[in-house]
Amino acid sequence: MPFTPTDEQAAALEAFKSGDPLAIQAGAGTGKTSTLAYLAEQMPGRRGRYLAFNRAIAADAAARFPGTVQCKTAHSLAYAAIGHRYRARLNAPRRPGWQIGQDLGLNAPARIGTIDLVPATLSNTTLQTVTQFCQSSDTELGHHHVPHLRRLEGEEAHAELADLVLPYAVKAWADLQDPHAGMVRFEHDHYLKMWALTDPVLRGDFLMLDEAQDTNPVLEQIVLAQGERTQVVMVGDSAQAIYGWRGARDVMTGFAARHLTLTRSFRFGPALASEANRWLTISGAPIQLTGSPDIATTIGHHSSNPDAVLCRTNIGAVTEILTRLNAGTPTALVGGGDSLRSLAQAASDLIQGRRTHHPELVLFTKWNALRDYAEHDPAGSDLQPFTNLVDEHGPEAILRAVDRLVPEAEAAVTVSTAHKAKGREWARVTIASDFTPPPDTDEFDAAGRLIPGPVDEAEARLAYVAVTRARHHLDATSLDWIAQHPDNPQSTVPEGKQASGRSWKLRP
């Protein structure tokens, strides 16, 4: 069908013609890829590049953009420039982190304060340090790249850990420079970082960066450097910036450019747009959405048979999977079950008195120690749903459930965390029950009720991502509490009353 631009898309074209840098806020379902392809098609004399978030998006874009635009991921460009030299190392077999640590010279345990660190823990921390360096814009390894470990809190303890680990991280990074052989397993992020350190030049009349709200500093550095020689167009949705805990940044908001918006969603109707807008307001987003009037999206408690169930946490996903499988429903999990399997295996190891190498649990030697930490230490409260789940079902039940998962094409329902659902859509979506309200404060309102704490902006963004995955029906019953929360711009709470809630702090 012929492409008929909206007023916002037409305005984007006029701004694109100017050659000035642009930042386009594109809400959920507003056709950002179609818009970018339209811009390129209307300027056939200009050649450019489109940087995609992953290979699937790049392949889809390549089929929609004109031949004047090269659609690639940053990794594919880095591989063509540098990564191909390390082809043999990329195909090397996997090795446990402790073996790599031994090769680097990490053979003895260490003690920091009252915490004993075995060589395997030091090895994994060393490798994570290299990973964090590769995701940064820094040119040299430093103390701030060394990750913080649970139960090893405080700046003094972290400084001691960094002093211990950093020399081995430097040795590991040096090892990775050899294209032919080495001790450390070579990963794709390694050659991306090597490429970034060469100050690459991306030739063309323009460079379009997709998903700019979740950009690693290493890619940000590469893209911003191109602004000296080409038109940079950043596109994304600041309200979908949900990977900050992983080091990603929203590079659009501070980008010195002309800022435009795409606000009409072609995915869902006005009712869902209204639901999305309340979360956009709470998150401080710069846009509000308009739904397509010809799409009759409904909202309410409707479906016992949704196409997808979206969870706040991995623990919520486990609970949902167990429920669905026990009911005999063929169930799929977006991204597969590897992360859940590793958590369950770590729990099994601790229950049986063995140490685990899971990065979140590596400093615990017994299950009871982990349970006590989760129950009594504020820093470990996000682990309590996990320990409760294991205590209720046992790790073996979780492992069996993971083994019973089916591919999405064969599933009656797909379970996903909201993070992994980003970029996806389904006809009927149910929001899982682990999207719980923020905890109460210790203050009371005029009626003597506890006043709920504010809704965290990051949690509002995640709820926005979740509710906007639906096309035809959304069951957001688990988010009904927002209707009476004082942060809600559409609040229905009677004057003088406040709603109470529970905590929702667990990381994905």
Side-chain angles (χ1 to χ4, degrees):
M1 295 180 62
F3 184 88
T4 303
T6 65
D7 290 344
E8 289 178 321
Q9 290 167 332
L13 175 60
E14 291 306 309
F16 182 62
K17 288 178 179 178
S18 72
D20 295 332
L22 306 178
I24 303 176
Q25 287 281 352
T30 56
K32 62 176 180 177
T33 305
S34 298
T35 301
L36 295 178
Y38 167 70
L39 301 186
E41 287 169 355
Q42 298 304 304
M43 300 291 290
R46 302 177 67 195
R47 307 186 70 84
R49 298 172 184 263
Y50 166 87
L51 285 185
F53 191 68
N54 57 43
R55 284 188 295 175
I57 294 175
D60 176 70
R64 301 166 69 177
F65 275 80
T68 53
V69 181
Q70 182 188 60
C71 301
K72 298 285 186 179
T73 65
H75 281 89
S76 65
L77 295 178
Y79 184 83
I82 287 179
H84 67 278
R85 305 174 194 168
Y86 297 85
R87 185 183 299 112
R89 291 193 65 173
L90 277 168
N91 295 326
R94 292 186 177 274
R95 299 179 63 214
W98 65 266
Q99 287 186 352
I100 297 174
Q102 282 188 342
D103 291 342
L104 292 172
L106 282 164
N107 300 309
R111 173 176 278 253
I112 296 180
T114 60
I115 302 296
D116 291 317
L117 303 175
V118 297
T121 299
L122 297 173
S123 301
N124 291 332
T125 305
T126 297
L127 297 177
Q128 290 177 52
T129 299
V130 174
T131 296
Q132 295 203 30
F133 166 66
C134 288
Q135 293 172 347
S136 75
S137 60
D138 300 323
T139 58
E140 295 181 352
L141 278 151
H143 279 208
H144 58 289
H145 298 125
V146 179
H148 291 262
L149 300 181
R150 284 188 183 272
R151 303 186 72 201
L152 203 62
E153 286 86 15
E155 289 306 314
E156 185 176 339
H158 181 261
E160 190 173 347
L161 175 67
D163 286 340
L164 179 63
V165 163
L166 199 56
Y168 295 99
V170 171
K171 186 175 181 180
W173 181 241
D175 171 86
L176 289 165
Q177 311 303 307
D178 187 341
H180 306 295
M183 299 174 286
V184 182
R185 178 176 169 81
F186 196 91
E187 304 283 356
H188 293 279
D189 280 352
H190 295 146
Y191 66 74
L192 178 65
K193 180 64 175 180
M194 293 176 187
W195 181 57
L197 291 172
T198 67
D199 297 323
V201 173
L202 302 181
R203 304 198 180 279
D205 299 310
F206 58 85
L207 172 64
M208 296 175 171
L209 174 65
D210 198 1
E211 299 288 344
Q213 80 283 347
D214 276 320
T215 303
N216 280 340
V218 64
L219 180 56
E220 175 187 5
Q221 175 193 29
I222 294 170
V223 171
L224 292 181
Q226 309 310 311
E228 300 176 1
R229 60 187 72 90
T230 191
Q231 181 184 23
V232 174
V233 178
M234 294 189 181
V235 62
D237 185 353
S238 292
Q240 294 192 54
I242 58 175
Y243 286 104
W245 56 274
R246 205 166 68 182
R249 293 179 356 102
D250 176 8
V251 301
M252 286 194 302
T253 53
F255 182 43
R258 182 173 176 182
H259 288 253
L260 304 168
T261 60
L262 298 176
T263 59
R264 180 185 172 183
S265 180
F266 300 97
R267 179 181 299 161
F268 43 73
L272 204 150
S274 179
E275 175 69 17
N277 285 339
R278 80 162 101 207
W279 296 106
L280 286 169
T281 299
I282 295 170
S283 69
I287 61 172
Q288 293 276 283
L289 294 181
T290 301
S292 293
D294 55 336
I295 301 177
T297 308
T298 56
I299 299 177
H301 183 66
H302 168 71
S303 7
S304 54
N305 57 342
D307 298 298
V309 179
L310 305 186
C311 306
R312 170 66 184 84
T313 65
N314 277 324
I315 307 308
V318 173
T319 303
E320 195 63 44
I321 287 168
L322 290 171
T323 300
R324 302 282 169 174
L325 289 175
N326 288 340
T329 305
T331 304
L333 177 67
V334 171
D338 288 347
S339 61
L340 301 183
R341 182 180 285 106
S342 65
L343 272 172
Q345 188 58 59
S348 180
D349 288 341
L350 291 173
I351 289 170
Q352 297 179 49
R354 299 191 299 265
R355 276 187 175 272
T356 176
H357 299 316
H358 193 285
E360 283 288 293
L361 311 177
V362 70
L363 293 184
F364 297 94
T365 57
K366 295 180 180 179
W367 179 251
N368 286 341
L370 173 58
R371 185 195 287 121
D372 289 344
Y373 174 76
E375 185 174 353
H376 302 296
D377 192 321
S381 61
D382 60 328
L383 287 172
Q384 191 163 13
F386 169 61
T387 58
N388 291 345
L389 186 77
V390 171
D391 285 340
E392 180 179 355
H393 297 284
E396 292 76 18
I398 299 172
L399 291 168
R400 287 194 300 270
V402 170
D403 290 338
R404 292 169 58 196
L405 293 171
V406 301
E408 287 190 54
E410 302 172 16
V413 63
T414 296
V415 175
S416 177
T417 62
H419 285 87
K420 290 182 180 177
K422 189 173 129 180
R424 303 284 301 272
E425 60 182 67
W426 293 270
R428 297 166 299 172
V429 171
T430 292
I431 307 300
S433 59
D434 60 343
F435 278 86
T436 51
D440 292 331
T441 67
D442 56 2
E443 299 179 359
F444 295 87
D445 64 13
R449 298 176 179 87
L450 283 170
I451 298 175
V455 179
D456 184 81
E457 287 187 7
E459 303 298 340
R461 290 195 294 270
L462 194 60
Y464 162 71
V465 169
V467 300
T468 55
R469 299 309 95 196
R471 295 194 304 270
H472 301 309
H473 181 76
L474 172 69
D475 181 351
T477 306
S478 64
L479 289 170
D480 282 352
W481 56 265
I482 192 60
Q484 298 186 24
H485 194 283
D487 283 357
N488 177 22
Q490 307 163 18
S491 178
T492 60
V493 64
E495 187 176 354
K497 293 187 178 181
Q498 303 286 0
S500 62
R502 304 186 307 277
S503 176
W504 56 346
K505 292 183 180 178
L506 186 65
R507 278 180 53 188

